[in-house]
């Protein structure tokens, strides 16, 4: 017995020594190839390029990955417990490795399938993710062990856990719990519920297979397992477990969702930053601060969506896209009976997100193909029962809404100008298989449709050029084409103020009379004689320039342009920032036949708003690196402009000079002196302020109770485009509404029915922060008595006179 004991003793000593020798030998052999543990440093992680509003609200994030690090102290308890329960519940007690886990892992490594899965502590997963490849080999596993032990000696448990949750990949370009929380639940990790926290932990191991967006049922299964582990480890109680297991997962269907939608401007920032700094900008964690204000941007988005929805409903229900061919006859019978169990079964057991034979996958593809709107959800119609509409929602569940008189607007759209009779039920205009949108109204859903019309809005401080709100289209998800900068619709009557400014800069006064009477022009380029008409179809006889602009009289604009001369007009109008080469060379220029972008129109109206100065709109104020150091500041440009003649700017074609140039919306003009007479700008502004107090504009704007606002509507032929450009002394805003295929918006639609209401409702929010401005008449303008019948100065005591502002040099005329 003693001999056996001694034998076993020496065997164990020998085994221990041999194990030490093997471990030490392995370490010495692998040590030269082991990466430095110091590389496990959060500061070295790739960080995406982020774009913010001026007040720090994120509107864009670009790079190979989305990552938003969070410190250990800020990690919510539910998140900590969920990850510990799912991955390594002994993390805070071991020294970096789990021996039982290692035994299981080495056994798997010896099997046919290799070293796949399991056996890794959180420390081992950290070094694997930061320093090693994903190769499933014994050598890599041994390296993992050594590095995990070394890591435990270098960092605290809290620091290791922090690295883990900030490094782990959760699918959809999301790295770290904060990015995952935003991607899947549209919220910060600080606001996650227990159920949502467990769902994120559930995706940690295999986001390619367990993914809350693409495989909600499997994710829910894994989530429930994580919750059961938390219950077993007494991290939660029975009530918490039951509530979490029974709760649904409200998954965000848009993985690029931001608190404020400023993606058109964020995309422009991305393009310009990459153009100047190269692709490394995607990885360096820079923060770009634009000039837009988050509240103004929200305000603009809300009013465009609201007004376009109202416009769209005026023209009835568009036929929905139908997908009934997706379903077999048996499935259609099940759907009619409100039975969709076959969908949930298929979703749970399908092994591939790309299986084209999977009905649930195909339905998800349909939902993904249609644009996401924060205000709406999606559905596919499956049945009509008891005056209710039943549909499959985005969670592949059955939902329903009831009929009401609310939907009487949904008369079938025969054409943009013709509608069918009022519907009495959903069946009058919907079919099984139709894809539809539902507007979210609190806890209720309302059947809705997304307008086909597009819109662009540019809101600028006319004194500084800073862009305060910017919308390049109705939905960035539907189309990322930037209509604010890159679209050039005809400007219509909104261009007329520049024709009238040309006249006032010459020998005309605001009181000058022009005869509004029929006129005809022969043009060899036209097949027939051109007989322009006023939009009312009436003629008003002799009318003053002031009244003609207020009433937007076409004939007067044409006659003014003819009398001034097209060449002379071109020379003056280019002062507003328009390219001379793009100005039409015929009399149609007077009616707004020129094609200009909303940004160009906003800049031009800014000249009127700020007393004759042309200011170039810019949209980036500063760029910071990940440590908060300023890489670029627009203030440098301001300082340079104040101390240097603009023509002497050293904008040489060098890298250093290129990255210091301001971020302008369009090609800058660099004008430091007034481009038109301050008095002419004041007179046009005065007329356009009167426009806002009279007629249709006056009635619609009365609720604002402000006399310091001005503007001009515009409508092109057949209402292909509608415009409104309006301004306060501190804010110029241009709005365009039209369609991408240049189809008519409807025979009874004008700038006053679509674009003007958007501007008015937008300004109702902006004017709260804009002080009331008094009229300050510039020197060189004087009031003079004018004869109504002649439009000329009349200093007699004639009762048929009124007072009008006249340029001093014209007082003798």
């Amino acid at each position: 017995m003693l001999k056996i004991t001694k034998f076993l003793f020496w065997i164990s000593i020998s085994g221990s020594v041999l194990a030490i020798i093997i471990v030490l030998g392995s370490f010495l052999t692998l040590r030269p190839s082991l990466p430095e543990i110091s590389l496990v440093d959060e500061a070295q992680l790739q960080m995406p390029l982020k774009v913010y509003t001026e007040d720090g609200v994120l509107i864009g994030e670009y790079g190979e990955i989305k990552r938003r690090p969070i410190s250990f102290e800020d990690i919510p308890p539910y998140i900590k417990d969920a990850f510990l329960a799912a991955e390594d519940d002994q993390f805070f007690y071991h020294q970096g490795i789990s021996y039982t886990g290692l035994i299981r892992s080495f056994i798997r490594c010896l099997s046919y399938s290799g070293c796949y899965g399991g056996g890794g502590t959180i420390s081992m997963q950290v070094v694997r993710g930061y320093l090693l490849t994903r190769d499933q080999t014994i050598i890599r596993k041994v390296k993992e062990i050594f590095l995990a032990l070394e890591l435990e000696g270098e960092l605290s448990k809290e620091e290791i856990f922090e690295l883990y949750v900030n490094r782990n990949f959760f699918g959809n370009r999301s790295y770290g719990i904060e990015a995952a929380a935003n991607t899947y639940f549209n919220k910060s990790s600080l606001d996650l519920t227990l159920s949502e926290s467990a769902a994120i932990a559930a995706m940690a191991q295999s986001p390619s297979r367990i993914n809350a967006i693409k495989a909600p049922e499997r994710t829910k299964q894994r989530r429930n397992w994580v919750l059961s582990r938390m219950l077993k480890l007494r991290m939660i109680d029975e009530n918490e477990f039951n509530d979490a297991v029974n709760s649904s997962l409200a998954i965000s269907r848009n993985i690029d969702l931001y608190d404020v939608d400023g993606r058109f401007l964020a995309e422009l920032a991305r393009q310009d930053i990459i153009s100047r700094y190269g692709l490394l900008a995607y990885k360096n964690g820079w923060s770009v601060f634009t000039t837009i204000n988050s509240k103004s941007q929200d305000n603009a988005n809300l009013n465009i969506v609201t007004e376009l929805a109202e416009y769209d409903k005026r023209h009835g229900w568009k036929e929905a896209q139908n997908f009934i061919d997706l379903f077999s006859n048996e499935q259609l019978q099940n759907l009619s009976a409100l039975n969709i169990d076959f969908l949930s079964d298929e979703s749970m057991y399908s092994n591939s997100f790309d299986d084209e034979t999977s009905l649930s996958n195909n339905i998800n593809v349909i939902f993904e193909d249609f644009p996401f709107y924060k205000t709406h959800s999606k559905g596919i119609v499956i049945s009509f029962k008891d005056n209710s509409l039943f549909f499959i929602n985005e969670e592949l569940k059955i939902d329903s809404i009831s009929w009401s008189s609310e939907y009487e607007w949904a008369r079938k759209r025969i054409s943009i100008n013709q509608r069918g009779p009022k519907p009495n039920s959903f069946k009058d205009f919907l079919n099984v298989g139709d894809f539809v949108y539902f507007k979210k109204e609190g806890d209720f859903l309302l059947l809705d449709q997304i307008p086909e019309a597009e819109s662009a809005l540019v809101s600028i401080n006319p004194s500084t050029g800073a862009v305060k709100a910017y919308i390049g289209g109705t939905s960035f998800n539907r189309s990322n084409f930037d209509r604010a900068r890159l679209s050039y619709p005809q400007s219509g009557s909104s261009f007329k103020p520049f024709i009238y400014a040309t006249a006032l800069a010459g020998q005309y006064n605001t009181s000058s009379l022009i005869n509004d009477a029929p006129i005809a022009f022969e043009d060899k380029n036209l097949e027939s004689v051109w007989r322009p008409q006023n939009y009312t179809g009436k003629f008003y006889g002799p009318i003053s320039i002031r009244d003609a602009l207020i009433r937007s009289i076409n004939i007067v604009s044409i006659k003014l342009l003819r009398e001034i001369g097209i060449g002379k007009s071109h020379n003056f109008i280019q002062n507003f920032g328009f390219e001379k080469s793009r100005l039409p060379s015929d009399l149609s220029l007077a009616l707004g036949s020129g094609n200009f972008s909303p940004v160009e129109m906003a800049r031009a109206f800014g000249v009127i708003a700020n007393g004759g100065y042309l200011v170039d709109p810019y949209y980036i104020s500063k760029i910071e690196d990940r440590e908060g150091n300023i890489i670029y500041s627009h203030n440098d440009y301001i300082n340079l402009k104040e101390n240097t003649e603009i023509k002497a700017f050293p904008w040489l074609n060098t890298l250093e000079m290129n990255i210091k140039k301001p971020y302008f919306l369009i090609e800058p003009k660099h004008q430091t002196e007034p481009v038109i007479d301050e008095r002419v700008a004041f007179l046009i502004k005065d007329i356009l302020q009167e426009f806002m107090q009279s007629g249709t504009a006056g009635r619609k704007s009365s609720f604002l109770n402000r006399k310091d606002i001005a503007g001009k509507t515009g409508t092109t032929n057949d209402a292909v485009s509608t415009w409104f450009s309006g301004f306060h002394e501190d804010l110029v805003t241009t709005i365009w509404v039209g369609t991408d295929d240049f189809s008519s918006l409807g025979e009874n639609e004008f700038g006053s029915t679509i674009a003007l209401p958007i501007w008015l409702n937008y300004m109702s929010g902006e004017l709260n922060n804009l002080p009331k401005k008094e009229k300050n008449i510039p020197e060189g303008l004087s009031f003079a008595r004018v004869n109504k019948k002649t439009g000329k100065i009349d200093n007699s005591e004639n009762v048929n006179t009124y007072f009008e502002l006249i340029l001093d040099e014209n007082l003798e005329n």
Side-chain angles (χ1 to χ4, degrees), residues 763-790:
M763 288 300 290
S764 70
E766 299 305 302
L767 285 172
N768 294 327
N769 300 313
L770 297 174
K772 290 186 177 181
K773 299 285 186 176
E774 300 295 330
K775 287 187 179 181
N776 294 314
I777 301 175
E779 291 185 9
L781 273 179
S782 301
F783 280 104
R785 190 186 294 272
V786 174
N787 189 301
K788 288 183 180 180
K789 289 186 176 181
T790 66

Side-chain angles (χ1 to χ4, degrees), residues 512-546:
S512 299
L513 297 182
I514 306 294
N515 188 21
D516 177 33
I519 189 171
F521 298 95
E522 290 188 6
D523 191 328
K524 62 182 180 181
N525 295 318
L526 299 176
E527 295 181 359
S528 59
V529 175
W530 180 39
R531 292 184 173 85
Q533 300 286 319
N534 295 323
Y535 81 95
T536 60
K538 301 177 181 178
F539 297 96
Y540 298 91
I543 186 172
S544 71
I545 282 180
R546 175 183 289 273

Side-chain angles (χ1 to χ4, degrees), residues 299-435:
N299 184 17
N301 278 314
L302 173 63
N303 285 296
I304 281 180
V305 169
T306 301
E307 288 301 326
L308 288 190
E310 289 297 316
Y311 153 76
D312 201 58
K313 286 181 172 61
R314 291 199 291 269
H315 296 273
W317 176 263
K318 302 184 296 288
E319 185 177 359
Q321 194 166 340
N322 190 271
F323 296 94
I324 195 171
D325 291 342
L326 279 179
F327 306 99
S328 66
N329 290 332
E330 181 181 355
Q331 289 168 342
L332 287 173
Q333 291 176 1
N334 283 327
L335 293 177
S336 179
L338 304 182
N339 178 6
I340 58 170
D341 290 342
F342 60 93
L343 280 182
S344 57
D345 291 343
E346 183 185 64
S347 175
M348 184 176 295
Y349 297 112
S350 175
N351 288 318
S352 171
F353 299 144
D354 303 319
D355 183 0
E356 295 183 358
T357 66
S358 166
L359 178 60
S360 57
N361 280 354
N362 288 332
I363 292 176
N364 277 323
V365 167
I366 291 171
F367 285 143
E368 291 171 5
D369 283 346
F370 281 85
F372 170 88
Y373 297 90
K374 186 176 181 179
T375 54
H376 289 71
S377 62
K378 307 170 187 177
I380 294 178
V381 176
I382 61 171
S383 183
F384 306 96
K385 291 182 183 295
D386 301 324
N387 228 18
S388 293
L389 167 66
F390 291 86
F391 58 93
I392 300 172
N393 63 24
E394 293 171 272
E395 295 181 5
L396 302 187
K397 305 293 184 184
I398 292 179
D399 206 344
S400 67
I401 60 170
S402 299
W403 173 263
S404 74
S405 58
E406 160 76 21
Y407 301 114
E408 289 183 356
W409 65 267
R411 298 161 63 177
K412 283 189 177 180
R413 183 181 299 181
I414 300 170
S415 71
I416 194 64
N417 296 318
Q418 186 179 4
R419 296 178 296 167
K422 286 184 179 180
N424 295 309
S425 71
F426 291 118
K427 288 190 290 186
D428 288 347
F429 59 94
L430 285 174
N431 298 294
V432 171
D434 279 355
F435 173 89

Side-chain angles (χ1 to χ4, degrees), residues 35-260:
E36 291 295 326
I37 201 69
S38 61
L39 294 178
V40 182
D41 180 0
E42 179 67 15
Q44 301 304 315
L45 289 178
Q46 285 187 27
M47 298 287 288
L49 176 70
K50 296 182 180 181
V51 184
Y52 296 91
T53 62
E54 64 167 0
D55 44 340
V57 178
L58 185 68
I59 58 172
E61 187 174 31
Y62 305 98
E64 297 174 6
I65 60 178
K66 293 193 295 183
R67 192 196 306 281
R68 299 172 189 175
I70 185 171
S71 64
F72 181 82
E73 294 77 15
D74 294 330
I75 300 173
Y78 279 150
I79 285 281
K80 292 176 182 175
D81 289 343
F83 274 92
L84 291 172
E87 301 296 331
D88 187 359
D89 61 275
Q90 295 299 307
F91 170 70
F92 284 98
Y93 305 104
H94 60 58
Q95 294 181 330
I97 57 176
S98 167
Y99 296 103
T100 56
L102 280 178
I103 292 171
R104 291 195 302 270
S105 182
F106 274 113
I107 291 173
R108 272 194 292 271
C109 283
L110 296 174
S111 69
Y112 175 77
S113 59
C115 297
Y116 177 76
T121 64
I122 284 177
S123 299
M124 294 169 69
Q125 291 184 55
V126 167
V127 295
R128 179 196 312 154
Y130 279 76
L131 304 175
L132 299 174
T133 68
R134 289 281 177 176
D135 297 338
Q136 305 290 341
T137 64
I138 293 179
I139 295 298
R140 196 222 65 196
K141 182 64 70 175
V142 173
K143 288 182 178 181
E144 216 174 90
I145 294 169
F146 288 144
L147 288 172
L149 292 170
E150 191 174 350
L151 179 66
E152 291 270 347
E154 293 284 337
L155 300 178
S156 68
K157 287 288 188 180
E158 290 76 11
E159 290 171 322
I160 295 172
F161 191 85
E162 181 180 311
L163 288 171
Y164 173 65
V165 296
N166 284 325
R167 176 61 175 82
N168 203 77
F169 178 56
F170 293 91
N172 292 304
R173 297 191 300 117
S174 299
Y175 286 75
I177 55 174
E178 188 68 12
N182 180 263
T183 291
Y184 293 108
F185 299 107
N186 186 29
K187 60 175 68 173
S188 166
S189 61
L190 303 177
D191 301 320
L192 292 176
T193 64
L194 170 59
S195 171
E196 292 164 345
S197 300
I200 287 180
M203 291 183 279
Q205 270 198 8
S206 182
S208 62
R209 186 173 185 277
I210 299 173
N211 185 296
I213 290 176
K214 296 182 178 179
E217 292 300 322
R218 264 180 282 170
T219 303
K220 194 177 293 185
Q221 272 189 323
R222 174 73 177 175
R223 176 206 68 178
N224 293 347
W225 177 83
V226 173
L227 290 169
S228 69
R229 287 277 300 153
M230 294 176 74
L231 177 63
K232 182 178 179 180
L233 295 168
R234 298 183 179 179
M235 295 172 172
I236 56 176
D237 59 32
E238 286 279 356
N239 290 333
E240 290 175 306
F241 171 78
N242 290 328
D243 289 344
V245 164
N246 293 321
S247 65
S248 60
L249 288 178
I251 303 300
S252 170
R253 292 287 166 171
N254 178 39
I255 65 174
D256 293 315
L257 195 60
Y258 302 102
D259 290 335
V260 172

Side-chain angles (χ1 to χ4, degrees), residues 454-507:
E454 285 290 350
S455 184
L457 179 150
V458 184
S459 196
I460 300 169
N461 182 319
S463 298
T464 66
V467 179
K468 308 310 292 182
Y470 187 91
I471 297 173
T474 306
S475 169
F476 189 86
N477 289 326
R478 182 167 73 181
S479 166
N480 59 16
F481 177 66
D482 187 348
R483 296 157 189 83
R485 288 189 316 113
L486 305 177
S487 179
Y488 300 91
Q490 285 190 340
S491 53
S493 294
S494 62
F495 193 79
K496 288 177 181 175
F498 312 118
I499 302 292
Y500 283 76
T502 306
L504 295 177
Q507 299 301 312

